[in-house]
Amino acid sequence: MALRENQPLSEVGEFELVEAIVDNFPQGEHVLVGPGDDAALVRAPKGHVVVTTDLLVEGRHFRRDWASARDVGHRAAAQNLSDVNAMGGRTHTLTLGLTLPGDLELGWPLEFARGFAEECAKVGASVVGGDVTRGDAIVVAVTAIGTCSVAPVLRSGATPGDVVALCGRQGWAAGGLTVLKRGFRSPRVLVEAYRRPEPPYDAGLQAAEAGASAMMDVSDGLVADARHIAAESRVAIDLRTADLEIPEPLEAVGSALGVEPMDFVLTGGEDHPLLATFPDAASVPEGWRVVGSVGEGSGVTVDGEEFAGAGGWVHF
Amino acid sequence: MALRENQPLSEVGEFELVEAIVDNFPQGEHVLVGPGDDAALVRAPKGHVVVTTDLLVEGRHFRRDWASARDVGHRAAAQNLSDVNAMGGRTHTLTLGLTLPGDLELGWPLEFARGFAEECAKVGASVVGGDVTRGDAIVVAVTAIGTCSVAPVLRSGATPGDVVALCGRQGWAAGGLTVLKRGFRSPRVLVEAYRRPEPPYDAGLQAAEAGASAMMDVSDGLVADARHIAAESRVAIDLRTADLEIPEPLEAVGSALGVEPMDFVLTGGEDHPLLATFPDAASVPEGWRVVGSVGEGSGVTVDGEEFAGAGGWVHF
């Protein structure tokens, strides 16, 4: 039976569905056994194993009217690849779990799989296994497994005197989400940044090799995530707005919507740039921008002052 | 604020919830960085990496009135540990994703975590990371990562002349599920077998070392899963009912409910015994039972005849 992309999943056999999804996942040379057996088997590069996992729930982490299935596939992979990147590691293997409603059209998981595969290909990682089951809502469960070939960079290693540096876009996704929430579709570059973040996948290892003392990816907001490094390292961090870039489209959205564009940069999440600390400015690698400094004390300040935005307490 | 187990999750902070769950997961000596950083970091034993993942959805894979949260935790871990076992590997590391409704009481995820941790402790594996998010239904996403220190045993290696052997309980969980479906709670030993399967975690490596030619765990049914080995190995398999044990409680349930007890053994899933083929009876290790033979051809027969039960086509 030929499958049509507009066919509801309730009319598709489970094995056919799995096969159609798996067809999108090329298996790298390091994969000895891919999907289909009890478990997958992989030859991993030498080094420590890095593992991370994330769930995306429709309505909470994505909306089908704001992002295509392919976009969601890109984003689901990106946020996990980024977590491995933030340790100084590189992902070689991923697993994917999907719960899908029966009335969803087949095209959704297939387009999702294409986007997921495209994002994984950026770092040469293979999707070796997964599970697909019926559920009332779309839930995406991703686990990324990588190797850290150098000493891993944790959140806890910053010391007073270090400089704080950033690599990658920051605030773009928040700008894109804001215009989507207000019913607009432009500036297109921001909407695209929200739909498909572009984490700097080469920067994690680069920073680790350059001697970064602490590192994480910015997924919840620059100030909010800097607080994690400050807390784990038992130091104070000061961010300098003069060194934080406000790209032209964020300026445009800010003045159009009456929002301070620096707020996107300070509080926006989901761009997945890397935030790291280095012993001095000279050790900060190319492509990174020094945006602050580490001192004695605790907490995060912006231009030396308490930051009022980006609340702390999150209710489940 | 002190947490109470009967508190609805909507009143619990996300970080508090994660902390309360993570408290149940001791970190083994091989774990260099556990939960809390961007990703976890693990020192893995030498060998190939074995990876598997599974989703459990409430209402589809478990019911809260048929199994306690602790039972579901045991089962969610067991089915993944079993998949690694079925390759001849051993799990060292797991990740856990949970989507939880806001009106669920805190006690559910905490009891789940206790059961999950207890099952993982059986093989010395650590739960190093996870993700918890709000969702309309309970979805459990597990990934198990292990090491195969010997040549892995796939489904595709059986050859004509091999013997087929089984290790572990088979049919018990199906018997337990059947009595639960009819509103009974006994025989208790069967209900318990359904709630907490007991896969033979030492038998996978044992079989691999003994020269097993093919192996898998029985999760969907003995005949149904034997068909996978037959198909992947391009051989025929004949199972002999005279060699399949029918335990006393299954006899009792059979006569009480008017069900042929051998049906539980031939078609029941979720016990997770191992089904393997060996070059001859002499190489079958202790604790395993020879239950059939491998021949030329294709498909699975029972006592030399086509088996009518255990249908093939599964609609999503």
Side-chain angles (χ1 to χ4, degrees):
Chain A
M1 190 176 75
L3 295 172
R4 286 168 290 105
E5 300 234 342
N6 65 352
Q7 213 165 342
L9 291 176
S10 54
E11 293 177 8
V12 179
E14 184 181 341
F15 295 116
E16 270 186 305
L17 172 60
V18 168
E19 206 173 344
I21 290 173
V22 165
D23 270 352
N24 295 286
F25 299 140
Q27 302 297 310
E29 279 182 18
H30 66 295
V31 182
L32 305 172
V33 178
D37 215 300
D38 291 85
L41 204 74
V42 170
R43 196 187 293 113
K46 260 199 170 155
H48 293 316
V49 181
V50 189
V51 187
T52 187
T53 194
D54 264 321
L55 296 173
L56 284 86
V57 178
E58 180 181 7
R60 195 167 170 88
H61 301 101
F62 65 90
R63 278 176 51 163
R64 269 190 271 164
D65 52 341
W66 286 355
S68 71
R70 200 153 183 149
D71 292 332
V72 180
H74 273 274
R75 195 137 69 88
Q79 67 187 52
N80 283 279
L81 298 176
S82 178
D83 278 331
V84 172
N85 190 30
M87 303 293 282
R90 198 159 184 96
T91 303
H92 53 75
T93 296
L94 297 99
T95 62
L96 171 65
L98 290 172
T99 75
L100 303 168
D103 60 0
L104 190 69
E105 290 184 0
L106 175 63
W108 201 93
L110 297 191
E111 273 294 299
F112 173 92
R114 286 165 198 143
F116 196 83
E118 283 162 359
E119 193 67 26
C120 294
K122 291 184 184 173
V123 301
S126 298
V127 184
V128 300
D131 193 10
V132 179
T133 187
R134 188 104 159 230
D136 292 334
I138 303 176
V139 177
V140 180
V142 180
T143 300
I145 306 167
T147 296
C148 206
S149 56
V150 294
V153 186
L154 311 186
R155 297 177 178 182
S156 53
T159 53
D162 284 358
V163 300
V164 178
L166 189 69
C167 182
R169 294 166 168 181
Q170 172 55 21
W172 294 46
L177 181 58
T178 300
V179 303
L180 283 171
K181 277 184 178 166
R182 304 219 182 169
F184 300 107
R185 303 267 155 171
S186 69
R188 200 161 170 75
V189 65
L190 296 185
V191 171
E192 282 303 310
Y194 165 71
R195 290 176 174 158
R196 299 191 187 185
E198 296 189 1
Y201 291 128
D202 292 324
L205 180 56
Q206 178 198 34
E209 286 177 336
S213 49
M215 182 155 62
M216 70 181 298
D217 83 320
V218 180
S219 50
D220 293 337
L222 184 55
V223 173
D225 283 331
R227 283 184 183 134
H228 289 297
I229 291 184
E232 296 287 320
S233 300
R234 296 164 188 271
V235 295
I237 287 179
D238 185 50
L239 299 171
R240 281 187 310 270
T241 54
D243 295 323
L244 287 166
E245 207 175 42
I246 296 182
E248 192 281 324
L250 273 188
E251 292 276 15
V253 167
S255 55
L257 303 182
V259 178
E260 170 54 56
M262 183 55 75
D263 280 355
F264 292 127
V265 178
L266 291 172
T267 68
E270 306 197 89
D271 285 303
H272 304 288
L274 292 181
L275 180 67
T277 58
F278 294 88
D280 49 46
S283 55
V284 175
E286 209 175 327
W288 290 70
R289 205 163 49 251
V290 174
V291 298
S293 56
V294 179
E296 306 271 358
S298 66
V300 172
T301 49
V302 175
D303 298 331
E305 305 199 0
E306 284 293 320
F307 182 69
W313 182 258
V314 183
H315 260 269
F316 178 78
Chain B
M1 191 175 73
L3 295 173
R4 284 169 291 106
E5 300 233 342
N6 65 352
Q7 214 165 342
L9 291 175
S10 54
E11 293 177 6
V12 180
E14 184 181 342
F15 295 116
E16 270 185 308
L17 172 61
V18 168
E19 206 173 341
I21 291 173
V22 166
D23 270 351
N24 295 288
F25 299 141
Q27 302 296 309
E29 278 182 17
H30 65 294
V31 181
L32 306 171
V33 178
D37 214 299
D38 291 84
L41 204 73
V42 169
R43 196 187 294 114
K46 260 199 170 155
H48 292 317
V49 181
V50 189
V51 188
T52 187
T53 195
D54 263 322
L55 296 173
L56 283 86
V57 179
E58 182 183 4
R60 197 168 169 86
H61 300 101
F62 65 90
R63 278 175 53 164
R64 268 189 272 164
D65 52 341
W66 285 355
S68 71
R70 198 148 181 157
D71 291 332
V72 180
H74 273 275
R75 195 138 68 89
Q79 67 186 52
N80 282 279
L81 299 176
S82 178
D83 278 331
V84 172
N85 191 30
M87 303 294 280
R90 197 159 184 96
T91 304
H92 52 75
T93 296
L94 296 99
T95 62
L96 172 64
L98 290 172
T99 74
L100 303 168
D103 60 0
L104 190 68
E105 291 184 359
L106 175 63
W108 201 93
L110 297 191
E111 274 293 299
F112 173 92
R114 287 167 199 142
F116 196 82
E118 283 162 359
E119 194 66 26
C120 293
K122 291 184 184 172
V123 301
S126 298
V127 184
V128 300
D131 194 10
V132 179
T133 187
R134 187 103 158 229
D136 292 333
I138 303 177
V139 177
V140 180
V142 180
T143 300
I145 307 166
T147 297
C148 206
S149 56
V150 293
V153 186
L154 311 185
R155 297 177 179 184
S156 53
T159 54
D162 284 358
V163 300
V164 177
L166 187 69
C167 182
R169 292 168 170 181
Q170 172 55 21
W172 294 45
L177 181 58
T178 299
V179 302
L180 284 170
K181 277 184 177 163
R182 305 220 181 167
F184 301 106
R185 303 265 153 172
S186 68
R188 203 165 167 73
V189 66
L190 297 184
V191 171
E192 283 303 310
Y194 164 72
R195 290 176 174 157
R196 300 192 186 183
E198 296 190 1
Y201 293 128
D202 292 323
L205 179 57
Q206 178 198 33
E209 286 177 335
S213 50
M215 183 158 59
M216 70 181 297
D217 83 320
V218 179
S219 50
D220 293 337
L222 184 54
V223 174
D225 284 331
R227 283 186 182 132
H228 289 297
I229 291 184
E232 296 288 319
S233 300
R234 298 165 188 271
V235 295
I237 287 179
D238 185 50
L239 299 171
R240 280 188 309 271
T241 54
D243 296 324
L244 288 166
E245 206 175 43
I246 297 182
E248 194 282 325
L250 274 187
E251 292 276 12
V253 167
S255 56
L257 303 182
V259 179
E260 170 55 53
M262 184 53 75
D263 280 356
F264 292 127
V265 177
L266 290 173
T267 67
E270 307 197 87
D271 285 303
H272 305 288
L274 292 181
L275 181 68
T277 56
F278 295 87
D280 49 46
S283 55
V284 175
E286 208 175 328
W288 289 70
R289 205 164 47 253
V290 175
V291 298
S293 57
V294 179
E296 307 271 358
S298 65
V300 173
T301 48
V302 175
D303 297 331
E305 305 199 0
E306 285 293 320
F307 182 69
W313 181 258
V314 184
H315 261 268
F316 179 76

